[in-house]
Amino acid sequence: MLEEGNEKNLFKDKLKAIREGEHENRKKRESEFHFFHQQWVILWQPVVVENIKKDREVHFYVRASNINSIKAQLRQLTIEHKVLMGDVQGIIEKQTVNDTVNARGSSSYYENYHSMKEIYRWMEEVVKIHSDLLQKIYIGSSYEKRPLYVLKAIHVRERDQTMTTLLEHFDFYIMPVINVDGYEYTWSHPYNRLWRKSRSSHSNSKCIGTDMNRNFDAHWCGPGASHSECQETYCGPYPESEPEVKAVARFIRDHKDTIKAYITMHSYSQMVLFPYSYTTNKSKDHEELESLAQKAAKAIKRTTRKIYRPGAGAQTIYLAPGGSDDWAYDLGIKYSFTFELRDTGTYGFLLPSREIKPTCLEALSAVKEIAQHVLQNL
């Protein structure tokens, strides 16, 4: 999390460091953790030091002014490392320079990133043009009073026969952005383009925001979340404290008897995850969900040759209580998944716009695989 006043060349290098196996020397181990706790080392993956595991990559970025010092410390700790991005700020500026350069009707429009303001305009226009196929449903407002919308795609004939069949049996509810305040903040404050949390304020803390994916009522604030407002995994003062989370939870609860599957899309890591993330224990549907996640990963590989790793959340990455996928599953929505989209760390949260289209194609192939399974098991 970075403050607004940081200099223009703040983001210089993103490094990849690989922790070697467990060291016998406890002092050296403590030195490694102290290194990653430094205020000028901002973690990308994992998001907190406690989730760093042996033989796993650690992705982080640093201030331009600290790069030589950081490299020296890494060498001193004998941590293997390499620079993945040499100018993070430059990449951010390219992605946010002009989000209306392409007409909304053009195919290239969908191959660029857009501001929250433009996404609102797009929703309004696409629903107006396709009023027989789409509905825009207001489900609440954000902490900063921005509207929260869900798009409902109803029966429509597609050129894709699989989608035509699925849309004959299912309605699809799509929420383009849940953290509308946080997303808008990343565009209006481009030096904070990598902001993660909401924009709420609680208990007069100097730190802003709650991690929305730690705020659902699923083993809320257990191991893997933080009670500290200044941590990236801050779970909020209580479950559903964030109006955005409360709105989504209310909408899903109101439709839980008809919702057959729930899929939430994040970045990055290229994974197809399923419950549980709040415990390493297996869910009662573990075998079926694992098999389906494997099928979804195979569908992606057939589509774009990309490798996505299937698995239960906590077993595959780390404990993460309060997630929407676990919450939806415990509510009774058996087919609950999280897609961690591209890539595996080269660009991380700053995926180049040229990769938007293939990422969408592979994600859609996985969605179709899951939806077909649901249809066959109604």
Side-chain angles (χ1 to χ4, degrees):
M1 184 169 63
L2 303 168
E3 301 302 321
E4 292 175 42
N6 289 329
E7 67 269 25
K8 188 170 187 284
N9 294 322
L10 173 66
F11 311 104
K12 173 61 179 170
D13 288 82
K14 183 161 83 75
L15 295 166
K16 176 177 78 172
I18 303 173
R19 275 198 73 214
E20 297 171 352
E22 287 300 305
H23 300 288
E24 292 179 6
N25 188 330
R26 179 173 292 195
K27 191 172 182 181
K28 184 175 181 183
R29 204 160 57 230
E30 288 173 354
S31 297
E32 289 179 356
F33 278 86
H34 174 72
F35 169 82
F36 287 112
H37 266 302
Q38 295 176 101
Q39 63 180 4
W40 48 80
V41 173
I42 297 103
L43 286 172
W44 274 21
Q45 192 74 273
V47 72
V48 292
V49 172
E50 290 72 21
N51 287 333
I52 294 175
K53 297 178 180 178
K54 67 175 182 177
D55 302 319
R56 292 279 184 92
E57 290 185 358
V58 179
H59 301 158
F60 61 97
Y61 64 101
V62 300
R63 293 173 184 268
S65 56
N66 294 123
I67 186 63
N68 290 329
S69 169
I70 292 295
K71 285 182 176 179
Q73 290 181 63
L74 286 165
R75 285 193 294 269
Q76 187 177 358
L77 291 165
T78 63
I79 296 177
E80 180 189 343
H81 62 277
K82 70 176 180 179
V83 177
L84 293 177
M85 277 191 276
D87 184 9
V88 173
Q89 186 61 41
I91 292 172
I92 289 172
E93 289 171 358
K94 283 180 183 177
Q95 289 188 358
T96 57
V97 63
N98 188 351
D99 71 316
T100 56
V101 69
N102 303 110
R104 291 191 193 112
S106 68
S107 60
S108 56
Y109 178 83
Y110 296 97
E111 296 173 27
N112 288 286
Y113 293 104
H114 299 288
S115 66
M116 197 63 236
K117 189 179 293 184
E118 176 60 22
I119 292 170
Y120 278 131
R121 289 174 181 151
W122 169 81
M123 281 193 277
E124 187 174 339
E125 186 171 303
V126 76
V127 168
K128 189 181 294 183
I129 293 171
H130 303 288
S131 57
D132 56 330
L133 311 176
L134 292 171
Q135 296 174 11
K136 186 173 72 172
I137 304 169
Y138 172 81
I139 66 167
S141 60
S142 69
Y143 180 82
E144 294 179 345
K145 304 306 177 187
R146 290 183 177 85
L148 301 169
Y149 294 117
V150 168
L151 298 180
K152 179 183 179 182
I154 53 180
H155 313 300
V156 52
R157 182 156 296 281
E158 280 270 350
R159 284 175 292 182
D160 182 331
Q161 186 54 49
T162 301
M163 281 306 301
T164 298
T165 301
L166 292 173
L167 285 162
E168 284 173 353
H169 293 87
F170 297 128
D171 292 332
F172 283 75
Y173 293 92
I174 301 155
M175 189 173 189
V177 184
I178 177 172
N179 187 9
V180 293
D181 295 346
Y183 188 65
E184 166 57 31
Y185 180 72
T186 69
W187 278 77
S188 57
H189 299 74
Y191 304 137
N192 265 334
R193 178 73 175 130
L194 301 164
W195 183 265
R196 169 188 174 90
K197 301 194 286 183
S198 68
R199 294 296 299 165
S200 62
S201 179
H202 298 290
S203 66
N204 299 317
S205 172
K206 69 181 187 297
C207 294
I208 298 294
T210 292
D211 183 346
M212 290 189 187
N213 212 43
R214 299 293 191 282
N215 193 236
F216 285 81
D217 195 6
H219 283 226
W220 175 80
C221 225
S226 174
H227 283 286
S228 171
E229 295 95 336
C230 297
Q231 291 295 313
E232 291 290 82
T233 55
Y234 175 51
C235 57
Y238 53 87
E240 297 181 24
S241 62
E242 306 311 287
E244 300 89 343
V245 170
K246 192 172 188 65
V248 169
R250 182 174 58 234
F251 180 81
I252 293 173
R253 274 193 292 262
D254 289 347
H255 296 81
K256 70 181 180 68
D257 293 334
T258 57
I259 293 176
K260 301 303 178 186
Y262 174 83
I263 300 170
T264 178
M265 298 196 186
H266 301 188
S267 65
Y268 62 92
S269 284
Q270 292 179 201
M271 296 178 178
V272 181
L273 305 175
F274 54 89
Y276 284 117
S277 289
Y278 64 61
T279 177
T280 54
N281 295 336
K282 292 181 179 180
S283 72
K284 67 179 186 298
D285 301 296
H286 179 90
E287 282 71 26
E288 183 183 1
L289 295 178
E290 182 176 50
S291 173
L292 186 49
Q294 290 169 350
K295 288 180 182 177
K298 286 177 183 175
I300 289 171
K301 190 175 181 181
R302 285 195 304 271
T303 304
T304 59
R305 298 186 179 276
K306 286 292 179 182
I307 305 296
Y308 276 59
R309 182 181 173 194
Q315 295 177 5
T316 307
I317 41 176
Y318 44 69
L319 284 168
S324 63
D325 50 354
D326 284 356
W327 175 82
Y329 177 81
D330 283 345
L331 191 68
I333 302 170
K334 179 166 72 168
Y335 300 107
S336 182
F337 293 90
T338 292
F339 292 177
E340 293 284 354
L341 302 174
R342 295 189 187 188
D343 56 11
T344 55
T346 302
Y347 291 97
F349 297 118
L350 294 171
L351 193 72
S353 57
R354 65 179 178 272
E355 296 207 35
I356 293 174
K357 186 175 180 178
T359 302
C360 289
L361 288 172
E362 66 199 21
L364 181 60
S365 72
V367 169
K368 289 194 288 188
E369 193 72 32
I370 290 168
Q372 286 176 289
H373 180 89
V374 174
L375 183 59
Q376 292 162 7
N377 289 271
L378 283 175

